[in-house]
Amino acid sequence: MLVTGGAGFLGHPLVCGLAALGEQVVSFDRLTRGSFPPSVTEIAGDITDGARLEHVLRTYAVTEVVHAAAVVGVTASVAGLPAAVNVNVDGAVALFEAVCRVGGVRRVVDLSSEETYGHFVRDPIREDDPALPVSPYGITKYAVERLGEYYADQHGLPYAAVRLCWVYGPGFPRRRLPHPWLQDAAGGLASRLARGGDQRIDFTYVDDAIDGILLVLNAERLGHRAYNVATGHAVGLRELAAEIAQLRPGWQVDLGDGPLEMAPGVAAARKGALDITRARALGYAPRVPLSEGLARILSGLEAGHPLTQGSHP
Ligand SMILES: NC(=O)c1ccc[n+]([C@@H]2O[C@H](COP(=O)([O-])OP(=O)(O)OC[C@H]3O[C@@H](n4cnc5c(N)ncnc54)[C@H](O)[C@@H]3O)[C@@H](O)[C@H]2O)c1
């Protein structure tokens, strides 16, 4: 089992979860964590290095791949568009080529995003609804999906995309809601956000995202090439604020109307819930309600747990 991006927010719990199930897991990431169980092989490498990936696939006789290495998020993709294209698109192609050259892999699960949809044309949105991404990040993620389908059709790549949405949880490495508000609430500070009161998001707790990824990875047969993995329910940012205020009644946010601003001058796409009917048919059932996920992170922050602090403020 190979997890690219294994040192990341989603990659790390995936690697640890798979290792706990007795899988021989190789983590391949630009960064090393040094905090995996002893059975895990941790390799430092660049996802665009196809020769290295080929060597890893052969050496460890890899039969499954979860592809999580990426430049992640609209903000990062706006700040460094060429790097996002290089890592996300060239990196995925390097991986797909290596998998096709080596053979023996039964499934490649690509962690994709609700950003592929651009402005949602429906709420909840379905996997076969139009995908017209508007952010550089969404465009790279959609390009990877289309390339994955091309490699599947032309070269037999056993490709499946899991479209995740605003996964949150301990150790989330970016300043994206709900984390900044939770950090303020845990620190006894009020929050302020100039715009975003009209934004709706299908926030997904990390444990649920991992459950869905593993179901797509392990299903004997897949009827589709893309699966939404979220909760199936969107909340507005004012509802999110109300949930946090209920957990920590002293906390307040001054929140302006309109869509959320992801980067200076870059508004978030219009979003909503993701239809999870396909994932449900594989046995997926999200287990962590928003209030519980928020409460877990708040408790971790207040206990000073290092995993809940976020590594890139
Ligand atoms: N977290 C979310 O809310 C979310 C939502 C939708 C999709 N996704 C997707 O899930 C995947 C994992 O996201 P995450 O939240 O864990 O992000 P993350 O930033 O924590 O993890 C990405 C990992 O990729 C690694 N990486 C970056 N460039 C690399 C390179 N050139 N070579 C090798 N490794 C490299 C990073 O070191 C990092 O460990 C990504 O594909 C992301 O697009 C995440």
Side-chain angles (χ1 to χ4, degrees), residues 4-13 28-33 44-49 67-73 83 86-88 91 110-115 137 141 162-168 171-174 176 204 213 311-312:
T4 74
F9 168 65
L10 284 161
H12 189 267
F28 184 96
D29 198 296
R30 170 173 73 90
L31 306 174
T32 49
R33 280 247 197 178
D46 196 291
I47 194 66
T48 59
D49 185 347
H67 178 45
V71 169
V72 182
N86 177 239
V87 173
N88 296 3
D110 169 35
L111 301 195
S112 190
S113 164
E114 95 292 348
E115 274 290 315
Y137 173 62
K141 300 303 281 186
V162 167
R163 294 185 186 146
L164 303 164
C165 189
W166 290 53
V167 184
Y168 69 106
F172 186 75
R174 294 170 284 280
R176 189 185 72 189
T204 312
I213 294 164
S311 48
H312 311 294

Side-chain angles (χ1 to χ4, degrees), residues 136-280:
Y137 173 62
I139 292 165
T140 64
K141 300 303 281 186
Y142 187 59
V144 172
E145 286 197 21
R146 296 297 299 149
L147 288 161
E149 289 178 34
Y150 171 80
Y151 277 92
D153 291 338
Q154 299 298 323
H155 304 289
L157 182 80
Y159 176 85
V162 167
R163 294 185 186 146
L164 303 164
C165 189
W166 290 53
V167 184
Y168 69 106
F172 186 75
R174 294 170 284 280
R175 280 196 67 77
R176 189 185 72 189
L177 290 174
H179 292 274
W181 288 358
L182 293 171
Q183 277 165 354
D184 288 343
L189 301 170
S191 305
R192 188 174 180 281
L193 189 59
R195 300 181 59 194
D198 297 331
Q199 190 75 45
R200 299 179 70 246
I201 302 286
D202 191 336
F203 291 101
T204 312
Y205 193 69
V206 61
D207 294 6
D208 288 329
I210 301 287
D211 281 358
I213 294 164
L214 292 180
L215 281 164
V216 174
L217 182 68
N218 293 326
E220 202 166 310
R221 288 153 61 99
L222 292 176
H224 306 279
R225 285 192 180 147
Y227 289 82
N228 287 337
V229 167
T231 71
H233 299 282
V235 297
L237 293 192
R238 295 195 189 284
E239 291 168 78
L240 173 69
E243 293 276 7
I244 297 173
Q246 198 157 6
L247 293 165
R248 294 297 179 271
W251 175 81
Q252 288 182 341
V253 59
D254 176 5
L255 174 61
D257 293 332
L260 193 60
E261 196 167 62
M262 303 301 293
V266 179
R270 179 184 61 248
K271 298 176 194 281
L274 275 61
D275 185 311
I276 55 172
T277 307
R278 283 186 186 177
R280 279 195 191 281

Side-chain angles (χ1 to χ4, degrees), residues 9 27 29 51-52 57 64 67 69 71 92 105 134 151 164 217 258 261 287 290 297:
F9 168 65
S27 164
D29 198 296
R52 191 87 195 283
L57 291 165
E64 281 105 14
H67 178 45
V71 169
V105 172
V134 291
Y151 277 92
L164 303 164
L217 182 68
E261 196 167 62
R287 290 174 293 149
L290 184 62
I297 298 169

Side-chain angles (χ1 to χ4, degrees), residues 54-81:
E54 188 174 331
H55 177 73
V56 169
L57 291 165
R58 284 192 203 284
T59 304
Y60 297 95
V62 170
T63 52
E64 281 105 14
V65 179
V66 177
H67 178 45
V71 169
V72 182
V74 174
T75 312
S77 74
V78 169
L81 203 157

